[in-house]
Amino acid sequence: MTAARDGDLAAIFRRLIRNTGPISLSQFMGESNARYYANRDPLGSEGDFVTAPEISQMFGELIGLWLADMWIRAGREEPVLYVELGPGRGTLAKDALRAGKRYGFAPEVHLVEASTALREVQEDAVPGAIWHADLSTVPQDAPMLLVGNEFLDALPVRQLVRTAAGWRERMVGLDGDSFVFVAGAQPMDAAVPDEWREAPQGTLLETNPGAAAVIYEIAGRLAEQGGAALLIDYGSDEVRAGSTLQAVRAHTKIDPFAAPGEADLTAHVDFATLARIAQSRDVRHLGTVPQGDWLRALGIDVRARTLAARAPHYAEDIEVAKQRLVAEDQMGELFKVMGLAAPAWPDGGGFGAD
Ligand code: SAH
């Protein structure tokens, strides 16, 4: 391994581990991603990964129509808030707000974004938006239509592993200069649900306390303020064991320990747990469905045909983009859309209730 630059996150982690012992995976992931997003725009073919709104305007437009439809059917209350978590380049917000505007949906725009570099990009896409470091400062006196695409998967996960000595937290330690997983010294059996307590040695459980806290807050706000939320991410709607931690750099999966702060670290989202948390606050879980099914139910095929008729030279590009969003072997099945709504709000399209 080459000598680390001063201020390099890998060097900082090594110093910390040598001085104080292994750090939690959650600290490793949280600090890596904070550093990663702070100074760059990682999105697009020139960057590290491509997201749905960057593939086609149809994605943001259909989300905008869903939000506007909810707002109209709930009685067109004004003022109303559009809130987006981790808006990236602001593309989804721009497309959604343009589509919603045709139906009179003209919300105040509140963007929750930690990265200074990305806030600058978002400012060009969504003039007049108001930025927040987290949800706590978003106004509480109007209904909220909230969206988060590939936001929850970037929040730090915690992993627990069943060792010969019982359950332990999975920590990051050092073997020479290389980062390695080690079991923490503290017994963690009390943090494990009863049915997993006696699982075979080597069993691994992953939890995302940050995602749980965000959903808890969103649900509390929906119940109080009214509104609805769409959370879209790579994940499963059932609880499973095993690690889903991964790192991506330049469109390629790499070892999560190879370049802390220089690669995007993500984990799958456990939608089953998040839906339970939302319901515990009396918010309605409209459903968690595969992205492809949801976009089709919302009319992506018709939208693609309209766009292609207007721009025949791009007809093939539009079809390829649509396939990337909906095909089962691309994003259509792995990505899920979770819908939440305030108790008195309607069901919303695409979740099978209408
Ligand atoms: N939603 C965008 C970008 C996804 S990348 C898209 O679909 O293209 C993840 C986004 O979440 C980035 O904007 C990143 O800066 C932001 N982000 C990650 N962790 C965050 C945190 N803890 N607080 C606020 N924003 C965060």
Side-chain angles (χ1 to χ4, degrees):
M1 193 153 225
T2 51
R5 271 179 292 126
D6 211 21
D8 178 317
L9 191 59
I12 295 172
F13 281 149
R14 283 193 195 95
R15 224 166 22 240
L16 183 65
I17 294 168
R18 286 198 180 104
N19 289 340
T20 64
I23 58 174
S24 69
L25 174 61
S26 153
Q27 183 179 358
F28 184 91
M29 185 173 172
E31 291 188 17
S32 295
N33 275 352
R35 172 74 66 106
Y36 175 73
Y37 282 108
N39 324 303
R40 80 189 80 212
D41 171 4
L43 295 151
S45 50
E46 302 290 301
D48 290 322
F49 58 95
V50 180
T51 56
E54 303 298 333
I55 291 172
S56 166
Q57 68 186 74
M58 294 184 284
F59 185 77
E61 287 171 349
L62 292 171
I63 288 177
L65 293 177
W66 190 93
L67 300 176
D69 172 62
M70 288 295 274
W71 170 74
I72 289 166
R73 286 197 283 144
R76 294 178 179 267
E77 201 177 318
E78 282 183 318
V80 57
L81 315 177
Y82 171 93
V83 181
E84 189 173 336
L85 306 178
R89 286 186 177 162
T91 310
L92 195 168
K94 186 171 90 183
D95 293 336
L97 292 166
R98 188 184 59 246
K101 200 172 164 192
R102 282 185 250 131
Y103 297 87
F105 179 59
E108 253 178 49
V109 179
H110 293 268
L111 304 179
V112 175
E113 176 57 69
S115 160
T116 325
L118 287 173
R119 280 189 187 195
E120 277 172 26
V121 183
Q122 291 157 17
E123 211 156 354
D124 292 335
V126 202
I130 300 157
W131 278 267
H132 303 266
D134 56 48
L135 267 175
S136 65
T137 50
V138 171
Q140 306 198 24
D141 53 1
M144 170 176 94
L145 279 314
L146 177 141
V147 187
N149 186 61
E150 294 211 45
F151 171 77
L152 299 172
D153 70 345
L155 301 180
V157 292
R158 183 174 180 199
Q159 292 182 346
L160 298 173
V161 60
R162 175 81 207 264
T163 69
W167 285 92
R168 297 293 163 98
E169 177 143 17
R170 210 163 178 227
M171 315 284 284
V172 181
L174 278 175
D175 178 7
D177 263 354
S178 304
F179 297 110
V180 289
F181 279 116
V182 295
Q186 289 276 99
M188 295 298 284
D189 300 77
V192 172
D194 284 345
E195 64 272 28
W196 290 96
R197 203 68 56 82
E198 299 307 324
Q201 209 174 306
T203 304
L204 199 145
L205 289 177
E206 193 172 77
T207 61
N208 190 332
V214 168
I215 294 297
Y216 187 82
E217 171 150 17
I218 292 171
R221 278 168 170 268
L222 292 179
E224 288 286 315
Q225 295 172 227
L230 292 173
L231 282 314
I232 305 135
D233 245 302
Y234 193 16
S236 161
D237 51 9
E238 54 192 63
V239 181
R240 294 184 190 151
S243 173
T244 69
L245 179 70
Q246 66 168 43
V248 168
R249 188 181 195 180
H251 307 275
T252 309
K253 277 191 194 177
I254 63 167
D255 174 355
F257 290 159
E262 304 294 324
D264 182 41
L265 293 183
T266 60
H268 294 190
V269 172
D270 168 7
F271 283 108
T273 299
L274 298 182
R276 267 204 312 279
I277 292 170
Q279 284 164 323
S280 78
R281 304 209 80 183
D282 295 330
V283 156
R284 286 187 309 125
H285 174 227
L286 304 176
T288 298
V289 300
Q291 174 173 300
D293 294 350
W294 192 78
L295 291 173
R296 285 214 148 98
L298 260 74
I300 194 169
D301 294 311
V302 174
R303 183 71 189 131
R305 280 200 295 277
T306 309
L307 287 175
R310 263 191 232 152
H313 292 315
Y314 292 105
E316 200 177 322
D317 293 349
I318 293 165
E319 180 59 25
V320 168
K322 187 190 85 182
Q323 285 304 327
R324 282 182 75 181
L325 296 176
V326 303
E328 276 182 24
D329 58 352
Q330 302 201 49
M331 296 177 82
E333 182 69 35
L334 295 171
F335 278 77
K336 306 287 186 297
V337 182
M338 178 167 85
L340 302 174
W345 277 53
D347 279 335
F351 293 105
D354 52 11

